[in-house]
Amino acid sequence: MTPAGLPTRQAADWIDRRDARLRILAASGFALVTLGLDTLPGQLLALTLAVALAAASGMRARELTHHLAALEGVILILLLSLPFTVPGRTIFELGPLAATAEGLRLALTILLRSNAILLVLLALVGTLEPVVFGHALARLGVPEKLVHLLLMTVRQIHLIGAESQRLRQAMRARAFVPRSDLHTWRSYAWLIGMLLVRSLTRAQRILEAMRCRGFHGRLYLLDSTVWTPGDTIAALGLALPLAGLPLLDHLLR
């Protein structure tokens, strides 16, 4: 089952059958290549490839739009501010403000790069189960302590959410109605404080339970991932556009 907040797909597809390590490496490689593209045609091509990959992965259009909308809200601020704050050749004036071609180009560059990278991350990495993602990071050489921290956070974060829900229900049972006044802010401060205290208490109980089961500072990874010939073929297929994008960008430069 896909955790809440992560994109889902309509059905199992060819991406789901690929090794998680390949998906992480491919998404990381695409992000690095896209960040190095300087020409607008090269960035448009990267965005086109990202859209095609997202479509081929079977991602739901509603969830994809939801995730992109969160990014576009930030990008919109840049689109409105960068043309008037970056020095360069003036293309039009709006009162005392002058928009420059360099600022507009920088805003478009950020827009194309960020959307392309986000689409690929959602298509390749976004639907990985957190435990599978953590194990893949460990197999790729990420320090074990960081992997353990990720796995434990994923395992326990829903408990903190449930505790927060219980505290909110207790506040509503006492006729609490949020308003824009000092009492409301003081109540929310107490809510956050109690949530931190109860989270610390629960963490201590979990640590004691782990020690009773022989925990001595290391979590063993018991996954059984196997690199298949299909993963090799997919890696070669993904390497072609990753190598072609910077080459095309260099030719267009």
Side-chain angles (χ1 to χ4, degrees), residues 41-97:
Q43 296 162 6
L44 282 172
L45 180 58
L47 179 60
T48 302
L49 292 175
V51 172
L53 180 61
S57 68
M59 296 177 60
R60 299 180 184 274
R62 180 178 298 180
E63 292 185 350
L64 180 60
T65 304
H66 173 73
H67 286 84
L68 288 178
L71 173 65
E72 304 308 333
V74 179
I75 298 300
L76 180 61
I77 300 176
L78 297 178
L79 290 176
L80 296 176
S81 61
L82 284 178
F84 300 99
T85 56
V86 175
R89 178 174 58 87
T90 301
I91 53 176
F92 68 89
E93 294 183 356
L94 186 63
L97 302 176

Side-chain angles (χ1 to χ4, degrees), residues 159-180:
L159 297 178
I160 299 178
E163 191 68 38
S164 175
Q165 186 66 24
R166 284 194 294 270
L167 290 174
R168 289 176 179 272
Q169 290 177 353
M171 293 172 66
R172 288 195 294 267
R174 290 164 175 80
F176 171 76
V177 178
R179 300 185 179 89
S180 181

Side-chain angles (χ1 to χ4, degrees), residues 3-4 15 23 26 42 47 83 85 105 114 116 136 159 167 171 182-183 188 196 205 210 218 222 231 246:
I15 292 182
R23 294 162 65 174
L47 179 60
T85 56
R105 175 184 174 81
S114 58
L159 297 178
L167 290 174
M171 293 172 66
L182 182 61
H183 172 70
Y188 279 129
L196 291 175
R205 292 202 303 267
M210 293 173 63
R218 182 179 181 183
L222 303 177
D231 295 323

Side-chain angles (χ1 to χ4, degrees), residues 22-37:
L22 172 62
R23 294 162 65 174
I24 294 174
L25 290 176
S28 301
F30 181 86
L32 293 176
V33 169
T34 302
L35 289 175
L37 300 177

